């Protein structure tokens, strides 16, 4: 495979391997925010994507799928357990999400993280053309920028952090805190979802490494003087085109009506769509809704909550316990309140194709995004993009990156159950004129600041770095 001018490095490839009953292997585009955000960018440039195929002990040569050049990284079963399930998802993920669950610190996990990051870095360094660009993504690969720079000092390096970055009081817990900061500072441009995340990162750099920080710029010591690094917010968005196309299809609108009919045509449908993760605030949402039913502020004949909770990290203990707890709460509320014709909560522990998701967005009168901590939350933007009718209300946690942009949503602190209940009632009772006023403003923001605007702003920042080096 020829060297690429532009190389994306992410934990996963943008495709999933599918093996049919007769052993035939095919690749289909993966679900998820990162793939949806980057695929349009990759198609517009001479690019290659370095990532893991999602299966342990799978050795694959570079290949082309869906017109994308793909460079697979092999991980052993032990590396999946230690690098991915261990350090990435049981150390970094809870620590960076405000220690909602306690992080685990194990030296062998860190060793595996270093080893795997080096493998990704070497693949990227081999794949990129002279003076090309490498764009590294997310918390699984925080050491890759520095490693690529050591191997290929001629290339321009970007890093985008999709999840929150914690305040220094929390970040300082990490035994390998300085190594991670140096890893990230291998990049020329470091992007975060929120200005607050960039501020936390710059404070950690100043306090831990004592590098010079001025505004959004860091002076990183180099062999010849110093090297400037830009660290600032580039809030990610979605590709709005598929949502606009789907909502215009009669069969999708018919499916939305069918969903309402199947639920007994309630006056209001509430919707939550999340990965089954303790950061998403699903327990708080269900608790608030259950109390509204118990207090008689809502009636099961009038309102139904659909909760889509797609499976996530099913071998990590915290997620196993979370699923049990949520399903017990749903069962109790339904047992206490259901009638023969109406159910309080329709709980769906599964993923759905985009067509079905858009039908759900159209069917839902109220979208509940009540994450306790979230880098962005693209579901909120998907809901808005789907509401071409300018109807519907969005209840949005102030602890999501989306809250910085989506000012016309009903903002809520999900830890405040009474406040969450009041916000749900505000959304349920909002009149159509107020819905329309708010939704028009929200749609203007999402349609103008789409994934192409996001990627263009980040790539423009990288191009500015390249021009300085030229």
């Amino acid at each position: 495979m020829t060297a690429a001018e532009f190389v994306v490095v992410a934990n996963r490839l943008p495709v999933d391997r599918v093996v049919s009953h007769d052993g035939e292997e095919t690749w289909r585009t993966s679900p998820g925010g990162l793939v949806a955000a980057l695929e349009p960018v990759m198609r517009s440039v001479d690019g290659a994507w370095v990532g893991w195929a999602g299966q342990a002990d799978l050795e694959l040569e570079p290949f082309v799928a869906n017109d994308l050049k793909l460079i697979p990284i092999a991980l052993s079963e032990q590396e999946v357990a230690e690098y991915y399930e261990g350090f990435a998802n049981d150390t970094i993920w809870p620590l960076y999400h405000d220690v909602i669950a306690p992080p685990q610190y194990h030296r062998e996990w860190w060793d595996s993280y270093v080893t795997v990051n080096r493998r990704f870095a070497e693949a990227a360094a081999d794949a990129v053309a002279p003076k090309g660009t490498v764009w590294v993504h997310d918390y699984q690969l925080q050491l890759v920028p520095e490693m690529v720079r050591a191997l290929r000092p001629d290339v321009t390096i970007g890093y985008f952090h999709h999840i929150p970055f914690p305040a220094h009081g929390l970040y300082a817990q990490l035994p390998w805190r300085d190594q991670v900061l140096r890893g990230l500072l291998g990049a020329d441009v470091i992007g975060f979802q929120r200005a607050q995340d960039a501020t936390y990162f710059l404070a950690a750099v100043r306090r831990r490494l004592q590098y010079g920080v001025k505004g959004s710029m860091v002076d990183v010591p180099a062999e010849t003087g110093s090297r400037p690094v830009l660290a600032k917010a580039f809030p990610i968005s979605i590709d709005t085109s598929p949502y606009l196309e789907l909502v215009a299809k009669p069969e999708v609108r018919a499916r939305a009506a069918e969903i309402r009919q199947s639920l007994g045509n309630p006056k209001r449908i509430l919707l939550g769509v999340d990965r089954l993760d303790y950061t998403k605030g699903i327990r708080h949402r269900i608790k608030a809704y259950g109390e509204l039913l118990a207090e008689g502020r809502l009636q099961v004949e009038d309102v139904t909550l659909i909760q889509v909770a797609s499976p996530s990290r099913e071998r990590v203990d915290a997620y196993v316990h979370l699923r049990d707890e949520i399903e017990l709460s749903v069962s109790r509320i339904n047992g206490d309140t259901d009638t023969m014709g109406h159910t309080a909560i329709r709980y769906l522990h599964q993923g759905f194709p985009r067509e079905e998701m858009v039908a759900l967005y159209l069917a839902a009168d109220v979208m509940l995004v009540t994450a306790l901590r979230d880098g962005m939350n693209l579901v909120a933007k998907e809901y808005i993009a789907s509401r071409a009718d300018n109807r519907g209300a969005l209840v949005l946690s102030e602890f999501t990156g989306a809250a910085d942009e989506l000012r016309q949503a009903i903002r809520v602190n999900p830890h405040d159950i009474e406040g969450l209940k009041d916000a749900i009632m505000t959304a349920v009772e909002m009149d159509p004129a107020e819905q329309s006023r708010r939704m028009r403003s929200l749609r203007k923001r999402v349609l103008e600041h789409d994934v192409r605007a996001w990627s263009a702003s980040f790539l423009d920042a990288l191009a500015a770095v390249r021009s300085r080096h030229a």
Side-chain angles (χ1 to χ4, degrees):
M1 193 174 282
T2 58
E5 294 294 326
F6 184 83
V7 175
V8 166
V9 188
N11 178 62
R12 288 292 298 272
L13 290 173
V15 292
D16 290 326
R17 181 170 176 259
V18 180
V19 180
S20 65
H21 294 301
D22 57 8
E24 184 182 353
E25 177 183 278
T26 56
W27 295 88
R28 67 176 176 215
T29 301
S30 307
L34 179 59
V35 176
L38 289 183
E39 195 175 21
V41 184
M42 294 297 294
R43 294 189 187 284
S44 66
V45 295
D46 171 28
W49 188 306
V50 176
W52 174 46
Q55 184 178 329
D57 299 310
L58 183 64
E59 300 272 355
L60 297 168
E61 292 298 316
F63 65 100
V64 175
N66 300 341
D67 300 323
L68 297 177
K69 297 178 192 173
L70 305 176
I71 301 171
I73 299 295
L75 297 181
S76 69
E77 188 72 44
Q78 183 175 356
E79 286 168 340
V80 172
E82 293 180 347
Y83 147 77
Y84 181 65
E85 294 173 349
F87 194 82
N89 289 325
D90 218 3
T91 300
I92 293 294
W93 179 270
L95 177 65
Y96 284 29
H97 285 85
D98 292 352
V99 195
I100 294 169
Q104 305 296 315
Y105 302 118
H106 298 292
R107 284 168 289 181
E108 62 272 22
W109 289 4
W110 165 253
D111 292 342
S112 183
Y113 187 78
V114 173
T115 298
V116 172
N117 270 241
R118 185 170 290 115
R119 192 174 305 149
F120 275 84
E122 289 169 350
D126 288 344
V128 65
K131 297 187 177 180
T133 297
V134 174
W135 193 1
V136 184
H137 285 269
D138 222 3
Y139 64 102
Q140 301 96 343
L141 303 173
Q142 293 175 99
L143 307 181
V144 169
E146 182 185 35
M147 291 172 170
V148 171
R149 183 161 299 282
L151 294 166
R152 292 292 303 274
D154 61 302
V155 304
T156 306
I157 303 168
Y159 171 88
F160 189 76
H161 195 73
H162 291 255
I163 69 172
F165 194 89
H168 186 260
L170 294 176
Y171 181 74
Q173 292 182 23
L174 185 66
W176 309 277
R177 55 204 181 180
D178 294 356
Q179 294 97 310
V180 168
L181 292 176
R182 290 193 185 96
L184 294 171
L185 288 167
D188 296 290
V189 178
I190 305 171
F192 296 92
Q193 300 282 26
R194 311 180 79 168
Q196 180 187 67
D197 296 323
T199 299
Y200 287 158
F201 170 76
L202 292 166
V205 168
R206 190 187 297 112
R207 294 180 64 173
R208 300 295 330 153
L209 305 181
Q210 293 167 3
Y211 291 171
V213 176
K214 187 174 183 181
S216 298
M217 302 301 298
V218 182
D219 252 349
V220 178
E223 289 182 8
T224 54
S226 64
R227 183 174 59 82
V229 174
L230 174 66
K232 60 172 283 192
F234 296 87
I236 200 170
S237 195
I238 61 169
D239 182 6
T240 57
S241 302
Y243 297 92
L244 299 176
E245 291 167 9
L246 285 168
V247 297
K249 290 187 173 181
E251 59 267 33
V252 174
R253 296 200 298 272
R255 175 60 185 147
E258 188 180 294
I259 289 169
R260 294 194 74 96
Q261 180 72 33
S262 70
L263 296 172
N265 279 319
K267 293 179 182 176
R268 293 286 184 269
I269 292 176
L270 316 182
L271 176 63
V273 175
D274 311 88
R275 276 191 315 102
L276 187 62
D277 192 289
Y278 49 75
T279 65
K280 300 298 184 181
I282 301 172
R283 288 176 293 197
H284 298 64
R285 179 186 315 160
I286 288 172
K287 181 178 179 62
Y289 176 65
E291 288 187 11
L292 288 171
L293 290 170
E295 293 164 6
R297 294 172 70 183
L298 292 178
Q299 304 296 327
V300 73
E301 294 84 3
D302 297 333
V303 180
T304 295
L305 167 63
I306 302 173
Q307 177 60 58
V308 177
S310 57
S312 174
R313 299 168 191 163
E314 294 179 285
R315 299 201 307 184
V316 178
D317 283 347
Y319 291 80
V320 174
H321 297 317
L322 175 67
R323 180 180 179 184
D324 290 344
E325 189 177 339
I326 287 173
E327 292 181 357
L328 182 60
S329 295
V330 169
S331 297
R332 282 176 175 163
I333 291 169
N334 284 347
D336 289 343
T337 60
D338 280 7
T339 65
M340 287 298 183
H342 297 273
T343 192
I345 304 173
R346 184 64 61 86
Y347 174 78
L348 304 164
H349 182 245
Q350 54 197 280
F352 292 98
R354 185 179 283 162
E355 291 82 356
E356 183 73 357
M357 291 311 307
V358 171
L360 281 167
Y361 292 147
L362 287 175
D365 303 284
V366 178
M367 186 79 217
L368 300 176
V369 177
T370 59
L372 307 180
R373 194 80 164 90
D374 217 335
M376 175 53 63
N377 195 288
L378 296 178
V379 164
K381 295 187 176 185
E382 291 172 4
Y383 179 70
I384 291 164
S386 301
R387 297 312 303 233
D389 58 357
N390 291 316
R391 295 291 296 275
L394 173 63
V395 175
L396 182 61
S397 165
E398 63 191 63
F399 303 118
T400 63
D404 290 355
E405 299 180 84
L406 306 180
R407 302 286 184 165
Q408 294 302 314
I410 302 166
R411 288 165 61 93
V412 66
N413 171 5
H415 298 279
D416 173 10
I417 300 299
E418 289 300 326
L420 180 52
K421 287 157 63 177
D422 290 342
I424 292 171
M425 292 306 301
T426 298
V428 166
E429 295 170 349
M430 188 179 292
D431 67 74
E434 176 71 3
Q435 287 183 27
S436 180
R437 184 185 68 78
R438 288 175 180 253
M439 190 56 72
R440 285 177 193 278
S441 175
L442 291 168
R443 284 178 59 75
K444 184 173 187 293
R445 174 72 194 187
V446 169
L447 295 178
E448 288 179 359
H449 295 82
D450 65 358
V451 70
R452 288 174 179 82
W454 167 74
S455 59
S457 66
F458 194 96
L459 294 174
D460 285 348
L462 279 177
V465 170
R466 263 200 311 277
S467 67
R468 285 201 305 269
H469 290 172

